[in-house]
Amino acid sequence: MTNRSLDVRRAALLAISVATIALLAGCGDGTASAPSTESSTTASATGTATPSDSGTGSGVPTDAVSNSLTPSAPPSPAGGTRCHTSELSASVGRNDPGAGQENFPVVLTNESSRACTLHGYPGTAFVDASGKQLGPDPERSATEPETVKLAPGQSAWAGLSFANPEVSGAGTATPAALLVTPPDEEDPLKVTWKAGEVPVSGNESSVRLIPFSPGTGA
């Protein structure tokens, strides 16, 4: 019986000691902290942004849309001043050839009753009668875009140029139309192409664009 009593007492003392230690631990100074977890926002900020595929599936060549997107465009004030496709008309001005290059002004005119702005490059794509894109994607010049304000009836122009196929030896096709998408818009305007063959394959087949400037480029 004596041994049994001692065992019981020892067990009781051990339980008391464990409880005391636990109580003291719970009254610590709180300096220990839980492991930090990187937020999803921080993690995604280091990733590479990919452009959207706006225009695909709509029957509009992706090129005519993607080249109109201007990452450097300044934020629009409340209400927005950007010119929308529905407010504009498009045309292609007279060729101004030189040094083996064909140079055309692509003109957008404000047909609305409000002032609006253009900033950057148009999206462009030569297409055949079925709407299929002809030639490679256009290339942008390194010219810094400016914001062009258009009052009702005013115009802005962007340069479209390519090497004369007779000089470059590039493969050619005759487009039915040029699709022109205003900067940061998704809906293009269709302009009948009347200037003959354009390069679509081989050397020097790329079309080059310069950003919008005030006027018609005439």
Side-chain angles (χ1 to χ4, degrees), residues 12-41:
L13 289 172
L14 180 59
I16 292 171
S17 298
V18 171
T20 302
I21 292 171
L23 180 62
L24 291 174
C27 295
D29 59 7
T31 55
S33 59
S36 61
T37 302
E38 185 178 23
S39 71
S40 60
T41 301

Side-chain angles (χ1 to χ4, degrees), residues 3 9 12 14 30 37 49-50 78 87-88 115 117 126 129-130 140 151 155 157-158 170 177 189 195 201-202 210 216:
N3 289 338
R9 292 177 62 190
L14 180 59
T37 302
T50 56
E87 300 174 307
L88 300 167
T117 59
F126 288 114
S130 68
R140 291 181 175 186
S155 301
W157 71 280
L189 297 163
S201 63
I210 64 171
T216 63

Side-chain angles (χ1 to χ4, degrees), residues 140-154:
R140 291 181 175 186
S141 72
T143 306
E144 185 69 23
E146 63 175 305
T147 298
V148 181
K149 184 175 181 179
L150 300 181
Q154 288 186 331

Side-chain angles (χ1 to χ4, degrees), residues 164-195:
N164 185 320
E166 294 182 0
V167 176
S168 68
T172 64
T174 301
L178 177 69
L179 299 185
V180 181
T181 307
D184 299 309
E185 292 288 295
E186 295 186 356
D187 297 323
L189 297 163
K190 188 175 182 178
V191 181
T192 300
W193 183 255
K194 300 178 180 179

Side-chain angles (χ1 to χ4, degrees), residues 1 5 8 18 22 24-25 37 42 52-53 55-56 65 67 88 91 115 125 129 132-133 139 147 153 181 191 197:
M1 291 293 291
S5 298
V8 173
V18 171
L24 291 174
T37 302
T42 303
S52 68
D53 58 356
T56 56
V65 176
N67 278 279
L88 300 167
S91 61
K132 180 182 178 182
Q133 180 175 328
E139 298 177 353
T147 298
T181 307
V191 181
E197 295 181 332

Side-chain angles (χ1 to χ4, degrees), residues 35-143:
S36 61
T37 302
E38 185 178 23
S39 71
S40 60
T41 301
T42 303
S44 63
T46 62
T48 302
T50 56
S52 68
D53 58 356
S54 297
T56 56
S58 64
V60 178
T62 304
D63 213 43
V65 176
S66 63
N67 278 279
S68 75
L69 303 179
T70 311
S72 60
S76 297
T81 62
R82 188 178 82 229
C83 297
H84 300 295
T85 302
S86 60
E87 300 174 307
L88 300 167
S89 63
S91 61
V92 176
R94 186 178 59 186
N95 185 18
D96 183 20
Q101 296 287 312
E102 309 300 319
N103 306 297
F104 296 88
V106 177
V107 182
L108 293 181
T109 301
N110 182 6
E111 304 288 354
S112 75
S113 59
R114 73 175 185 114
C116 62
T117 59
L118 297 172
H119 180 94
Y121 303 79
T124 62
F126 288 114
V127 295
D128 62 17
S130 68
K132 180 182 178 182
Q133 180 175 328
L134 302 173
D137 294 350
E139 298 177 353
R140 291 181 175 186
S141 72
T143 306

